[in-house]
Amino acid sequence: MGQKAFHVWISGRVQGVSYRYYTGLKAKELGIRGWVKNLPDGRVEAWFEGTEPLVIEMLQWCRKGSPLARVMNIEQQLEEIRNRQGFRILR
């Protein structure tokens, strides 16, 4: 199965609602590698790597996010695989 990597920016009510925490849980559940962090402008930025179907599932999950989140928009950019290890929640 082909590997894919996406750089993602999520906007809306995505900070202060445990979005990063729940993203980490979902990524670990799916075996996605990468990271997630808050941006100063109120968006969340993430990097997802894994098999194509699982990365697509992760991107779909991001459209809803954590229980209290209100996602307004997602920008995603296909990237080169960087062979990241594990999934990290950054500050």
Side-chain angles (χ1 to χ4, degrees):
M1 231 177 261
Q3 297 282 307
K4 293 283 185 187
F6 279 93
H7 197 173
V8 182
W9 297 267
I10 303 114
S11 58
R13 188 173 72 183
V14 292
Q15 290 191 16
V17 293
S18 301
Y19 194 96
R20 289 177 303 151
Y21 171 79
Y22 281 96
T23 300
L25 288 180
K26 187 65 176 178
K28 289 172 185 173
E29 173 191 320
L30 295 175
I32 298 293
R33 301 178 312 277
W35 49 264
V36 63
K37 69 178 182 179
N38 284 338
L39 292 175
D41 65 6
R43 294 180 301 161
V44 167
E45 180 182 13
W47 181 279
F48 302 127
E49 282 185 22
T51 60
E52 186 171 4
L54 295 178
V55 171
I56 298 297
E57 185 175 340
M58 188 73 219
L59 292 171
Q60 289 171 338
W61 179 90
C62 285
R63 296 187 184 287
K64 183 171 189 319
S66 64
L68 295 176
R70 295 292 173 265
V71 176
M72 301 303 288
N73 189 47
I74 292 184
E75 297 173 55
Q76 59 192 47
Q77 183 173 312
L78 186 62
E79 298 280 357
E80 294 290 323
I81 297 289
R82 296 195 183 154
N83 295 311
R84 301 201 182 269
Q85 300 298 311
F87 194 87
R88 297 178 57 209
I89 298 173
L90 307 175
R91 294 209 174 267

